[in-house]
Amino acid sequence: MTLALDSAAQDLLFREARTANAFTDEPVSEEQVQAIYDLVKYGPTAFNQSPLRMVLVRSDEARERLVQHMAEGNQPKTATAPLVAILAADNEFHEELPALFPAFPQAKDMFFAERPAREQAAGFNAARQAAYFIVGVRAAGLAAGPMTGFDFAGVQKEFLDDDHTPLMIVNIGKPAEDASFPRSPRLAYEEVVTTV
C-alpha cells in the first residue's frame, strides 16, 4: 500500500524536513504566512473550535522583548530568525463557535460555559493546529524551529492577555547550511501500534 501523496511531497513535509536552528537572512513575507494559514486552517479541531492564535514578531523592538524571555540556548536563533511566531490558545474561542460550528450552535453554552473546560479544549486543539502550522511552514518550502524553552508567564504578560495561553514559539525561514542536528531515531511501527 502506498500513500496518495507523491514521494517528493512526503519528503518535503516529513522525511527530509527538519527542525531548523539557523536561518538565512531571506525574509518571510506576510503573503507567505497568509498562504500557510489559508492551507492549515482546514485541519480538524473539535467542534471546529479553531482556538490557535498567532502573534508575528517582526519589529526589532518586539524581537528584543521576546528574546529576553527565551531560554539561553534559544536566544541567538530567535534573535536572528527572519520571522518568529508566538502560537497561543484562545481560551475564549467559544465566542466564535456559533459561526464556526453552525450545525450545533448550542455547543458554546452546553460544553464551554466554564473556563476550565475551555482552557483544556483550547490547549489541546490549539496544539493540534500548531502541528498543522509546522507542516504548513514546510509546505511553503520554509523551515520551522518550534521551541517551548521560554518563560511562559513572561511571554503571556509581554505579548498576550489573560485569555490567551502561549503554547510554543516558532522561528521561521529558509534554513542555513547545517541548520539542523543529525536525524534522531524514531520508534518502529511495531513499537507504537497494538492491535486488539
Side-chain angles (χ1 to χ4, degrees), residues 6 36 42 44 54 56 61 74 82 145 154-155 157 165 172 179 183:
D6 71 59
I36 291 164
Y42 295 108
M54 294 185 284
L56 300 180
E61 178 269 333
N74 292 332
V155 167
K157 183 177 180 183
T165 303
I172 304 166
R183 171 76 74 194

Side-chain angles (χ1 to χ4, degrees), residues 15 18 30 47 55 65 70-71 76 83 94 102 106 108-109 111 125-126 138 143 160 169 193-194:
R15 287 192 291 257
R18 307 297 298 284
E30 190 70 28
F47 296 102
V55 176
R65 289 172 28 224
M70 302 303 296
L83 178 64
H94 68 305
Q106 59 270 39
K108 172 188 173 190
D109 297 319
F111 297 110
N125 286 283
R138 294 170 174 181
L160 303 167
I169 294 173
V193 176
T194 303

Side-chain angles (χ1 to χ4, degrees), residues 121-140:
F124 178 76
N125 286 283
R128 278 181 175 174
Q129 289 185 284
Y132 305 147
F133 180 76
I134 291 167
V135 173
V137 168
R138 294 170 174 181

